[in-house]
Amino acid sequence: MTAVPDLSLLHSFVTVAQELNFRRSADRLAIDQSALSRRIQKLEALLGYPLLERTTREVMLTQAGQNFYDSATRILSDYRQAIGDARRIAEGRTGRVRVGYMAFAATELMPQAVARFETRHPDISLELRYMRTQGQKAALINDEIDVGFMIGPYDNSECQSILLASEQLYVVTPKGHPLLRKTQVTPEDIRNEDFILGDMAEWGEYRHRLGDLFVRSGIALNPKLEASNTLALIGLVAAGLGITIYPKSLTGFLGPGVGVRPINNSLFQSQTILAWKRNNRSRALSNFIDVAKLGEASV
Amino acid sequence: MTAVPDLSLLHSFVTVAQELNFRRSADRLAIDQSALSRRIQKLEALLGYPLLERTTREVMLTQAGQNFYDSATRILSDYRQAIGDARRIAEGRTGRVRVGYMAFAATELMPQAVARFETRHPDISLELRYMRTQGQKAALINDEIDVGFMIGPYDNSECQSILLASEQLYVVTPKGHPLLRKTQVTPEDIRNEDFILGDMAEWGEYRHRLGDLFVRSGIALNPKLEASNTLALIGLVAAGLGITIYPKSLTGFLGPGVGVRPINNSLFQSQTILAWKRNNRSRALSNFIDVAKLGEASV
DNA sequence: ACAAATTGATGTGTTTGTTGCATCAATAAT
DNA sequence: ATTATTGATGCAACAAACACATCAATTTGT
């Protein structure tokens, strides 16, 4: 590894190269002229070639010195830039937060958090990535995202999370379905309905959560059909092949062919959490979390 | 001006960021672990923000640290590159030599020197500029060229020169001219000839030199015609309007309409020198001079 | 469950390197 | 000829960085 002269030497040289006068340069550097003279000597000794041509009356740059000066100023400037960049990141005034989000947060929670964040922290860039809950968990562990809007709860020693929203689940039925005659339905009401759900690949975590809910309510969850596409799923419901269950935030996006009713049971909630890795000390991230908390569930 | 941490600190940080272990890093840096620990502390204190997250068992980069590391490696790499570039220039292994040349050197001296130089120093680029002797002198003083092939001698305290060639002067006459009956002519033979010379603007230095020669030979130099263009000048000679005087190296480029004879007098020589500024310490230049010397006059 | 090893941090005396002061020789200006 | 200014240098004083020994915290090995 090549010997790399200290920055004090480099800075001294740059000053002398600008002033072409040791005494004035020494004044600017606030050191003695002799010290500066020795610094330049040391620099040249380390490099192994002269940078300055000096007589007792005049100082001028050698060709190598001219070239080195050009490089040195650029390097010092880059260095200061790097220090400033890192400072901005450390202070959270810039940087980047990679945000994962899934469908249930896509309509309200994530957009609102993002909107608040952008006004408060315009210097911090956000990268939004649509990922399902499972993918977000893996992405968090692998440091591919910094924070994720996902279905909760999530217990993992490496991660921390807060509950952002607990929203009522709704049944989605074809238009004219008997359930729509009531203003709200109970778990009992849907015990014998046919269910159409997204397949495990697409709805993995949600399916697990729903399965859990039904077990705890003493109802069997037997999906009659599976659909891998949301539009297709709603289409199947509208076609009268069965019903499905959606969180409230998505009930406004279902089109005209279906009707919705809330499930009147405190268990039938979908929790959306915000999760991040504990060891991620990014200031930008903590800023994002703070902002996202403003929409936190008051439950 | 922002405080700029020393390179030893920067280098230490880069090492730790790579090893993520203080002891191993200290070994690599060949210093004590405690010294390294303090270096990192000092760096962070200078910057004002932490770069590393350390527990007693683990070291990891903060975001600012990661960013700073990326910048730091690039900066160190640029720095080493700059040192190497300047070294190559200092050693004359790269660089640029601006060469001025005039007509008398254009056919042999300059091309041969350039050819030798390009094989020996392929990394050094040459810039060739056609200039007359007077122009070269001004260009040397003004640092517009590094070295010049010109008519000598040249005495100037700022410049140094070596004699490259001293070539015989030839009379150039129309075909069938009486002087051509002799194998060589004397100054006396041309005492009463009509002379056609280039004008002062084009032939300035050469005219001065010729005038000097004629005075020292006791012969008046009365140009009958002046031409500003070399081809026109030779045309006028071929047309029988007079004779002119050329150095040997150019006698092969005169076309069919004229004849040439050497002037049998040791004074009638044209000296071509290589001149450069004394304070030009460019290694590339001294390399060029060394190569050009190989064609030096043995006189 | 307990001892041994490994982590980074810290207290302390020593050393190395840098500085400022005074002065020098060389050169330019007056 | 005198004076002022240039960068370089000898030397003593100082400050910063260092190695050594040790610490508390934590993991590893048995």
Side-chain angles (χ1 to χ4, degrees):
Chain A
M1 191 87 59
T2 313
V4 179
D6 250 344
L7 275 198
S8 60
L9 303 185
L10 200 62
H11 191 242
S12 301
F13 167 68
V14 167
T15 306
V16 175
Q18 286 169 352
E19 296 282 350
L20 291 178
N21 179 304
F22 276 66
R23 279 196 147 79
R24 279 201 302 277
S25 303
D27 286 345
R28 260 182 57 183
L29 293 168
I31 60 171
D32 194 87
Q33 172 265 324
S34 66
L36 177 58
S37 183
R38 288 191 164 91
R39 280 191 185 178
I40 302 298
Q41 287 169 18
K42 181 176 179 183
L43 174 60
E44 292 178 323
L46 282 172
L47 293 179
Y49 47 88
L51 298 170
L52 295 165
E53 193 82 31
R54 14 213 202 292
T55 69
T56 55
R57 301 298 298 179
E58 188 177 32
V59 177
M60 53 185 295
L61 287 162
T62 63
Q63 285 213 346
Q66 177 64 53
N67 194 285
F68 192 66
Y69 168 74
D70 294 339
S71 306
T73 50
R74 181 177 45 76
I75 288 166
L76 285 176
S77 155
D78 285 356
Y79 192 8
R80 295 202 180 86
Q81 178 78 38
I83 291 172
D85 287 349
R87 160 167 295 123
R88 275 187 287 282
I89 292 176
E91 293 173 353
R93 283 198 293 117
T94 190
R96 142 193 95 137
V97 182
R98 297 161 299 176
V99 180
Y101 66 95
M102 28 67 74
F104 297 176
T107 61
E108 294 176 5
L109 287 172
M110 185 276 287
Q112 287 167 9
V114 166
R116 284 194 300 268
F117 190 79
E118 299 250 300
T119 56
R120 289 184 199 212
H121 303 282
D123 294 335
I124 305 181
S125 67
L126 292 177
E127 288 179 16
L128 302 174
R129 305 188 195 177
Y130 179 82
M131 318 176 77
R132 288 170 274 284
T133 295
Q134 290 294 355
Q136 288 187 40
K137 290 176 180 174
L140 277 178
I141 301 302
N142 297 332
D143 292 319
E144 292 164 6
I145 61 175
D146 297 302
V147 64
F149 291 86
M150 62 179 72
I151 295 174
Y154 180 36
D155 290 317
N156 182 306
S157 61
E158 284 194 66
C159 292
Q160 195 168 345
S161 63
I162 55 170
L163 178 64
L164 286 182
S166 188
E167 48 182 343
Q168 195 66 45
L169 291 180
Y170 280 58
V171 290
V172 182
T173 71
K175 271 265 161 72
H177 192 278
L179 284 175
L180 295 180
R181 291 193 210 114
K182 315 175 66 171
T183 58
Q184 52 187 27
V185 303
T186 64
E188 282 300 319
D189 293 333
I190 58 177
R191 176 187 286 275
N192 295 317
E193 294 289 335
D194 292 325
F195 285 97
I196 306 174
L197 298 174
D199 60 25
M200 289 302 286
E202 279 286 318
W203 286 47
E205 191 70 13
Y206 185 49
R207 283 280 297 267
H208 283 126
R209 293 278 305 145
L210 283 182
D212 192 38
L213 285 177
F214 278 79
V215 167
R216 285 158 72 184
S217 304
I219 306 174
L221 175 62
N222 300 315
K224 181 180 178 184
L225 281 173
E226 286 192 351
S228 60
N229 176 288
T230 308
L231 289 173
L233 191 148
I234 299 300
L236 293 172
V237 170
L241 295 172
I243 69 173
T244 191
I245 297 180
Y246 257 48
K248 183 183 182 188
S249 62
L250 290 184
T251 54
F253 299 86
L254 296 178
V258 298
V260 295
R261 285 295 180 277
I263 303 175
N264 180 25
N265 183 296
S266 61
L267 275 180
F268 280 74
Q269 303 263 331
S270 171
Q271 295 188 343
T272 302
I273 62 169
L274 190 70
W276 63 93
K277 219 173 167 182
R278 284 183 200 279
N279 67 11
N280 191 335
R281 293 262 186 272
S282 158
R283 191 64 188 273
L285 169 59
S286 67
N287 280 331
F288 185 86
I289 294 167
D290 289 343
V291 168
K293 274 182 181 170
L294 299 179
E296 199 171 3
S298 45
V299 180
Chain B
M1 192 83 62
T2 314
V4 179
D6 251 344
L7 274 198
S8 61
L9 303 185
L10 199 63
H11 191 241
S12 300
F13 167 67
V14 166
T15 306
V16 175
Q18 287 168 349
E19 295 283 350
L20 291 178
N21 179 304
F22 277 63
R23 277 195 149 78
R24 278 200 303 276
S25 303
D27 287 344
R28 260 181 58 182
L29 293 168
I31 60 171
D32 194 86
Q33 172 264 323
S34 66
L36 177 57
S37 183
R38 281 181 230 272
R39 280 191 185 179
I40 301 299
Q41 288 169 17
K42 181 176 180 185
L43 175 61
E44 290 178 323
L46 283 173
L47 293 179
Y49 46 88
L51 298 170
L52 295 165
E53 193 83 31
R54 8 211 206 296
T55 69
T56 53
R57 299 300 294 179
E58 191 177 24
V59 176
M60 52 187 297
L61 287 161
T62 63
Q63 278 217 344
Q66 177 65 52
N67 194 288
F68 192 67
Y69 169 75
D70 294 339
S71 307
T73 50
R74 180 177 46 76
I75 288 167
L76 286 176
S77 156
D78 286 355
Y79 192 7
R80 294 202 180 87
Q81 177 80 37
I83 291 174
D85 287 349
R87 160 167 294 124
R88 273 187 290 281
I89 292 175
E91 293 174 352
R93 288 196 287 115
T94 190
R96 166 190 74 147
V97 181
R98 297 161 299 175
V99 181
Y101 67 97
M102 28 67 74
F104 298 175
T107 60
E108 293 174 5
L109 288 172
M110 184 278 286
Q112 286 167 12
V114 167
R116 284 196 299 269
F117 190 78
E118 299 250 299
T119 56
R120 290 187 200 210
H121 304 284
D123 294 334
I124 305 181
S125 67
L126 292 177
E127 288 180 15
L128 302 175
R129 305 189 196 176
Y130 178 83
M131 318 176 78
R132 287 171 274 284
T133 295
Q134 291 294 356
Q136 287 187 40
K137 289 176 180 173
L140 276 179
I141 301 303
N142 298 331
D143 293 319
E144 291 165 3
I145 60 175
D146 297 302
V147 65
F149 291 87
M150 62 179 71
I151 295 175
Y154 180 37
D155 289 317
N156 183 304
S157 61
E158 285 196 66
C159 291
Q160 195 169 346
S161 63
I162 55 171
L163 178 65
L164 286 182
S166 187
E167 47 183 344
Q168 196 66 46
L169 292 178
Y170 280 57
V171 292
V172 182
T173 71
K175 271 266 163 69
H177 191 277
L179 283 175
L180 295 178
R181 290 194 211 111
K182 314 175 68 171
T183 57
Q184 50 188 26
V185 303
T186 66
E188 282 300 319
D189 293 334
I190 58 177
R191 176 185 285 275
N192 295 313
E193 294 289 335
D194 292 328
F195 285 96
I196 305 173
L197 298 173
D199 62 24
M200 289 302 286
E202 280 285 316
W203 287 46
E205 189 71 13
Y206 186 48
R207 281 282 295 270
H208 283 125
R209 292 279 305 145
L210 283 181
D212 191 39
L213 286 178
F214 278 79
V215 167
R216 286 159 72 184
S217 304
I219 305 174
L221 176 62
N222 300 314
K224 180 180 178 184
L225 280 174
E226 288 192 352
S228 60
N229 176 287
T230 308
L231 289 173
L233 192 148
I234 298 300
L236 294 171
V237 171
L241 295 173
I243 69 172
T244 193
I245 297 180
Y246 258 49
K248 183 183 181 189
S249 62
L250 292 182
T251 55
F253 298 85
L254 296 179
V258 297
V260 296
R261 286 295 181 274
I263 302 174
N264 181 25
N265 182 297
S266 60
L267 277 178
F268 280 73
Q269 304 262 333
S270 172
Q271 295 188 340
T272 301
I273 62 169
L274 189 71
W276 63 94
K277 218 172 168 184
R278 285 184 198 278
N279 68 11
N280 191 333
R281 293 259 186 275
S282 156
R283 198 55 195 273
L285 169 60
S286 68
N287 281 331
F288 184 85
I289 294 167
D290 288 343
V291 168
K293 274 182 181 171
L294 300 178
E296 198 170 3
S298 46
V299 182

